[in-house]
Amino acid sequence: MKQIFFISSLVFGIALNGFSQQALTDTTAYHFTVADCINYAYDHQHDVINSKLDVTSAGYHVKEIIGQGYPQINGTASFLDYLKIPVTLIPGEFFNKPGTFVPLKFGVTYQSSVSVNASQILFDPSYLVGLQGRKTYKQLYERSYTRSKIEANVNVTKAYYQVLVSVEQLKLLAANINELKQQLDETIARNKQGVVEKIDVDRLTVQYNSLITTRENTNRLLALNYQLLKFQMGMPIENELFLKDKLEDIQLDATVGNATNDTTAYRNRIEYGLLETQNKLYQYDVKLKKGQFLPKLTANANYTPSFQNNSFGALYANSYPSAYVGLTLNVPIFTGWQHLNQLKQSQITLLKSQNDMYDMKNTINLQVSQARISFINGLQTLTDQKKNMALAEEVLRVSKIKYEQGVGSSIEVTQAQTALQDADNSYIQGLYDALVSKVDLDKAYGRIN
């Protein structure tokens, strides 16, 4: 019993230690810039990983296509035990018994054979088209992989900016709360002295409580935004993540000079590149359908040693080999117009692909214009909100001085405080909109690779 208890304790200790190490791994802390987060997503984000696997799979498919042109060699083996040897009826004339049939057994009880077959494509239009399109086929998945990386880049960047904006919002709330708390304490003291009324204290208390609630809500949203960022990165949400970049590191003004109305930006977009690659594959498909009208030539070879005997022990004593080489020519003569109709369908698919490319070009040009206008508007709005926030702070400062000197009312101070909070909220929203529009602008111009 002691031995069993010792072994159980040892196993439990090892398992607990392994669990502790796993828990330590799962709560690893990371200090990342936005570029670090993007690079992490390239290696861990679900869609990016699957797209990369698709590229690997496409490479194997290309090798499969090439392998069809190599000699195809197969081997077969058989063993037969005739419990009843087949009987053939022979006309009786061969045995001086006209008008009758004589049953004769042809064959032996045991038969066995080993066969090796080989074939080689000499001319096959389908195989030649496959060789021509193999690089384009793989390129389609490589560009799809690039698109997945771009989407991950955009999503991670936006989520990163959302966290930074939430942190900035908390800073503004903290400053407002500290200032309002100081004002509230002063008002309470003056109320005790009989200088101000109780209603003035109540007004400030309502504003103070509202700011405290907003701060608590924002803290919870900040935690959620961190989890969203980690989710977009493909990082376990229980891991600790700290952001190294600051809002002041992001140069929004530097992007304005690049916000030109470029009608050739569609060439830089991966979506258009994917359609180009797909269009090339459809062209190869048309060639494939045309190749169905051409003959196919294949070389064949076979070697088969066979063994026959009525005694199983002597079955493999003697062999009776056979071998041949030859050519097989398959010429399509009439298929009920199937090949012709298949060709027409492929040609229509190719035309639709060309229409999709034209539509994508217009779509991208429209997205560029929308992103450009949204960015310029967002930047202008952000600039105005900064000014409004500064003006609101000045209005609050003057209102407090007037109130302290007895030439202003507490309502005026309360209204100024509310106006400052509204200006802060508008600034935060304008800041996030400007940051997101910058990402959308870079994506629209195809600058994210």
Side-chain angles (χ1 to χ4, degrees):
M1 286 295 294
K2 291 182 178 180
Q3 290 180 345
I4 295 175
F5 177 77
F6 173 75
I7 293 174
S8 301
S9 301
L10 180 61
V11 171
F12 178 76
I14 294 175
L16 183 60
N17 183 49
F19 177 79
S20 300
Q21 291 180 352
Q22 180 66 29
L24 181 61
T25 301
D26 291 342
T27 57
T28 303
Y30 297 89
H31 297 262
F32 278 174
T33 63
V34 64
D36 295 331
C37 291
I38 292 171
N39 290 330
Y40 185 95
Y42 288 164
D43 294 329
H44 299 86
Q45 207 274 336
H46 171 266
D47 293 333
V48 177
I49 292 175
N50 282 349
S51 295
K52 188 175 181 180
L53 291 175
D54 288 338
V55 174
T56 304
S57 178
Y60 288 123
H61 184 70
V62 168
K63 292 180 180 180
E64 175 189 349
I65 295 174
I66 296 175
Q68 295 175 4
Y70 295 155
Q72 309 295 306
I73 302 174
N74 299 291
T76 58
S78 67
F79 170 79
L80 300 175
D81 180 0
Y82 282 99
L83 303 177
K84 294 290 185 178
I85 297 177
V87 175
T88 302
L89 297 179
I90 304 298
E93 282 77 7
F94 290 99
F95 301 95
N96 294 322
K97 295 181 180 180
T100 62
F101 290 94
V102 179
L104 293 178
K105 293 183 179 180
F106 284 93
V108 294
T109 304
Y110 300 104
Q111 297 184 20
S112 180
S113 66
V114 178
S115 178
V116 178
N117 299 282
S119 63
Q120 173 64 56
I121 295 176
L122 299 180
F123 177 75
D124 187 344
S126 299
Y127 177 70
L128 296 178
V129 173
L131 287 180
Q132 294 173 359
R134 67 186 188 277
K135 292 183 179 179
T136 305
Y137 175 82
K138 188 174 182 180
Q139 184 187 54
L140 179 68
Y141 286 93
E142 289 173 344
R143 288 187 168 179
S144 180
Y145 173 51
T146 301
R147 180 179 62 179
S148 298
K149 292 173 67 177
I150 290 174
E151 291 298 328
N153 187 314
V154 170
N155 293 334
V156 168
T157 303
K158 288 182 178 181
Y160 196 100
Y161 288 166
Q162 178 67 72
V163 173
L164 293 182
V165 170
S166 296
V167 172
E168 180 68 14
Q169 184 178 8
L170 283 174
K171 291 180 181 178
L172 294 177
L173 284 171
N176 289 337
I177 288 174
N178 290 336
E179 183 175 354
L180 189 58
K181 182 65 168 63
Q182 181 181 359
Q183 183 180 351
L184 178 60
D185 291 340
E186 293 175 356
T187 305
I188 292 175
R190 296 177 67 185
N191 173 254
K192 291 180 179 180
Q193 298 172 359
V195 179
V196 298
E197 299 179 0
K198 180 66 167 55
I199 192 173
D200 296 331
V201 175
D202 293 340
R203 289 195 187 101
L204 291 177
T205 302
V206 168
Q207 283 191 314
Y208 180 77
N209 291 337
S210 176
L211 282 179
I212 293 297
T213 301
T214 301
R215 184 180 63 181
E216 293 175 353
N217 292 340
T218 304
N219 273 319
R220 285 188 286 267
L221 287 176
L222 176 61
L224 180 61
N225 290 335
Y226 266 110
Q227 291 184 351
L228 175 61
L229 173 58
K230 287 182 280 189
F231 173 79
Q232 298 292 3
M233 294 167 55
M235 175 184 289
I237 60 174
E238 64 269 14
N239 287 5
E240 288 191 75
L241 178 63
F242 301 94
L243 308 190
K244 296 171 65 175
D245 286 338
K246 307 298 179 184
L247 279 175
E248 52 267 22
D249 298 330
I250 305 171
Q251 302 296 327
L252 290 174
D253 295 338
T255 314
V256 178
N258 298 326
T260 57
N261 193 12
D262 185 5
T263 58
T264 63
Y266 68 92
R267 297 187 180 277
N268 300 326
R269 290 285 295 274
I270 189 63
E271 294 86 352
Y272 189 81
L274 276 168
L275 289 181
E276 281 185 323
T277 305
Q278 187 66 65
N279 182 264
K280 290 180 182 178
L281 287 177
Y282 288 142
Q283 293 177 21
Y284 285 123
D285 187 60
V286 170
K287 290 184 179 181
L288 181 67
K289 296 303 188 293
K290 289 181 178 180
Q292 293 179 342
F293 295 95
L294 300 177
K296 301 177 182 179
L297 181 62
T298 306
N300 305 287
N302 174 273
Y303 176 74
T304 304
S306 60
F307 308 91
Q308 303 180 29
N309 206 297
N310 283 321
S311 172
F312 179 79
L315 175 60
Y316 295 101
N318 297 303
S319 67
Y320 307 94
S322 65
Y324 69 82
V325 294
L327 297 174
T328 300
L329 181 64
N330 186 1
V331 181
I333 297 176
F334 180 71
T335 59
W337 295 286
Q338 294 183 53
H339 292 169
L340 179 61
N341 290 322
Q342 290 173 357
L343 174 61
K344 295 296 184 182
Q345 293 177 61
S346 295
Q347 290 173 336
I348 291 174
T349 302
L350 178 60
L351 290 175
K352 290 171 62 179
S353 174
Q354 294 171 350
N355 292 336
D356 290 340
M357 290 176 62
Y358 178 79
D359 181 70
M360 178 58 71
K361 176 182 176 181
N362 285 338
T363 300
I364 292 175
N365 286 337
L366 177 61
Q367 290 177 352
V368 168
S369 298
Q370 290 176 332
R372 175 175 171 270
I373 293 173
S374 296
F375 176 72
I376 294 175
N377 289 347
L379 202 60
Q380 181 63 48
T381 300
L382 179 61
T383 301
D384 292 341
Q385 295 302 336
K386 285 182 180 179
K387 295 178 180 178
N388 291 341
M389 190 166 59
L391 289 174
E393 291 176 351
E394 178 63 18
V395 169
L396 177 60
R397 186 187 68 84
V398 173
S399 298
K400 289 171 64 178
I401 292 175
K402 291 173 61 179
Y403 177 67
E404 291 171 355
Q405 294 178 352
V407 294
S409 66
S410 62
I411 296 178
E412 185 179 355
V413 175
T414 303
Q415 291 175 342
Q417 186 70 41
T418 302
L420 177 59
Q421 295 175 21
D422 293 339
D424 288 345
N425 292 334
S426 298
Y427 168 74
I428 290 298
Q429 186 61 49
L431 178 61
Y432 178 71
D433 291 342
L435 292 172
V436 168
S437 65
K438 174 184 180 297
V439 178
D440 291 337
L441 181 69
D442 291 337
K443 180 183 177 182
Y445 277 90
R447 297 175 186 145
I448 302 175
N449 298 315

